[in-house]
């Protein structure tokens, strides 16, 4: 008798994990919650019920204008995108969307499962070029799957870390939140490590043939300075992005990255609970 190998979720077509019944109602209710103290409290309470009902299974949904297969148990980003996308970096996304133009060039560094990349792709049109950079192998597989479920054709997934020099790096993983990985040691004591290839932002931009960058987003758990400082030092000014979203990890940076950006002509235009948003006006 032939032995049938177990089927992994990635082998099943999109829609195989569409939410139904109780879970579908919870998702609808959490997504309809208003952006207020009571609205968020209500949504987060329902979200906990929805997570328990999933028992680790993925969910196939449309969120932020794109189709995604999400694994919310153990990844904070996927949990937010599934249940409460209306709260997911709303200020940052609104500011980014206002700056979209024909032929938009965007690099999503620490792309996770592709929320920002696919959000931009859904709005920027067929002339956009988007790089989604994610080093963690398990999360990269989810990112690649999500990109493939959409017709945009403008997002390219890159499986590597970005740092201050090329080579191979140790990536520290957090078992409680798969989206929290960094080339710097995490605060969690329960994590593991994996070796991953690395390159610099300038080398990546040059290898992809970019002549300009309109925007970048960096969410790399405290290693943002390792990426930006050498890029702003070595890259021609024509390649400096006009718009930058950076996870606010200033307590872990080894340089004053905010001051450096100010010296390079960037202004802080928004500060949220999680991120800093900078803009540089063209000369």
């Amino acid at each position: 008798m032939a032995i049938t190998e177990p089927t992994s979720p990635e082998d099943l077509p999109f829609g195989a994990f569409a939410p139904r019944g109780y879970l579908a109602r919870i998702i609808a209710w959490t997504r309809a919650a208003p952006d207020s103290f009571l609205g968020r409290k209500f949504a987060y309470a329902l979200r906990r019920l929805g997570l328990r009902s999933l028992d680790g299974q993925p969910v196939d949904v449309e969120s932020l204008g794109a189709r995604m297969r999400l694994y919310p148990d153990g990844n904070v980003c996927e949990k937010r995108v599934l249940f409460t996308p209306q709260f997911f970096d709303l200020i940052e996304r609104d500011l980014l969307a206002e700056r979209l133009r024909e032929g938009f060039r965007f690099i999503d560094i620490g792309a996770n499962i592709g929320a920002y990349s696919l959000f931009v792709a859904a709005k920027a049109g067929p002339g956009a070029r988007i790089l989604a950079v994610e080093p963690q192998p398990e999360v990269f597989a989810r990112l690649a799957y999500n990109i493939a479920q959409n017709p945009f054709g403008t997002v390219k997934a890159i499986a590597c870390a970005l740092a201050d020099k090329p080579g191979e790096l140790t990536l520290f993983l957090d078992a409680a939140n798969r989206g929290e990985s960094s080339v710097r040691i995490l605060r969690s004591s329960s994590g593991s490590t994996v070796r991953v290839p690395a390159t610099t932002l300038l080398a990546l931009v040059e290898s992809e043939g970019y002549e300009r960058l309109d925007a970048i987003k960096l969410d790399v758990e405290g290693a943002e300075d390792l990426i930006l400082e050498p890029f702003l030092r070595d890259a021609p000014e024509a390649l400096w992005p006009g718009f930058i979203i950076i996870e606010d990890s200033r307590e872990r940076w080894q340089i004053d990255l905010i001051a450096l950006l100010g010296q390079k002509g960037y202004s802080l235009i928004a500060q949220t609970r999680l991120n800093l948003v900078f803009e540089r006006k063209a000369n």
Side-chain angles (χ1 to χ4, degrees):
M1 179 184 295
I3 299 176
T4 303
E5 292 292 328
T7 302
S8 71
E10 284 73 22
D11 294 330
L12 298 174
F14 185 86
F17 298 98
R20 296 178 176 83
Y22 174 71
L23 178 62
R25 291 193 294 274
I26 285 180
I27 292 172
W29 291 334
T30 56
R31 290 185 173 199
D35 189 4
S36 64
F37 173 78
L38 289 177
R40 285 176 177 258
K41 191 172 182 179
F42 169 76
Y44 297 154
L46 282 177
R47 188 171 70 182
R48 286 191 292 271
L49 296 175
L51 285 171
R52 282 201 292 268
S53 74
L54 275 171
D55 194 27
Q57 289 296 304
V59 187
D60 292 344
V61 292
E62 182 170 318
S63 189
L64 305 176
R67 292 165 54 152
M68 303 184 203
R69 175 165 290 170
L70 300 171
Y71 297 74
D73 185 18
N75 190 339
V76 171
C77 175
E78 290 177 273
K79 180 168 61 176
R80 295 171 68 199
V81 171
L82 173 60
F83 290 103
T84 51
Q86 74 273 29
F87 304 151
F88 177 75
D89 290 4
L90 179 60
I91 293 171
E92 298 91 326
R93 289 191 294 107
D94 282 348
L95 288 169
L96 181 57
E98 289 170 4
R99 286 152 179 80
L100 298 180
R101 56 174 172 147
E102 180 64 29
F104 198 72
R105 301 292 186 262
F106 177 59
I107 299 184
D108 185 0
I109 304 167
N112 205 302
I113 48 81
Y116 263 94
S117 295
L118 293 170
F119 169 78
V120 171
K123 292 181 173 295
R129 287 189 65 189
I130 300 160
L131 294 180
V133 184
E134 175 54 49
Q136 187 184 158
E138 180 183 2
V139 176
F140 180 83
R142 299 180 187 181
L143 166 67
Y145 180 89
N146 288 339
I147 291 171
Q149 306 317 304
N150 292 279
F152 308 130
T154 54
V155 186
K156 179 179 179 179
I158 305 289
C160 75
L162 294 186
D164 55 344
K165 57 187 176 183
E168 190 178 67
L169 294 175
T170 297
L171 190 69
F172 296 87
L173 312 178
D174 186 341
N177 179 13
R178 293 179 181 87
E180 186 171 326
S181 59
S182 178
V183 298
R184 288 189 169 147
I185 297 174
L186 298 172
R187 287 159 287 196
S188 170
S189 61
S190 62
S192 58
T193 62
V194 63
R195 297 288 287 177
V196 297
T199 189
T200 66
L201 177 55
L202 178 57
L204 175 66
V205 170
E206 290 178 338
S207 69
E208 293 294 326
Y210 277 50
E211 297 178 351
R212 74 168 200 276
L213 277 177
D214 294 304
I216 62 174
K217 184 225 80 181
L218 297 99
D219 183 352
V220 288
E221 308 303 329
E224 292 80 12
D225 56 331
L226 281 178
I227 297 170
L228 270 185
E229 189 276 330
F231 180 78
L232 294 174
R233 181 191 65 220
D234 300 333
E237 193 170 335
L239 280 178
W240 294 1
F243 184 82
I244 304 175
I245 300 171
I246 309 176
E247 183 183 33
D248 189 354
S249 301
R250 67 184 87 184
E251 76 283 356
R252 302 181 65 194
W253 295 334
Q254 295 179 355
I255 64 168
D256 188 342
L257 187 53
I258 296 174
L260 175 63
L261 286 165
Q263 293 167 11
K264 300 298 185 180
Y266 288 90
S267 299
L268 180 65
I269 63 171
Q271 180 174 341
T272 67
R273 186 175 65 87
L274 297 175
N275 299 305
L276 304 169
V277 183
F278 294 87
E279 187 165 40
R280 186 176 190 268
K281 297 297 185 182
N283 295 327

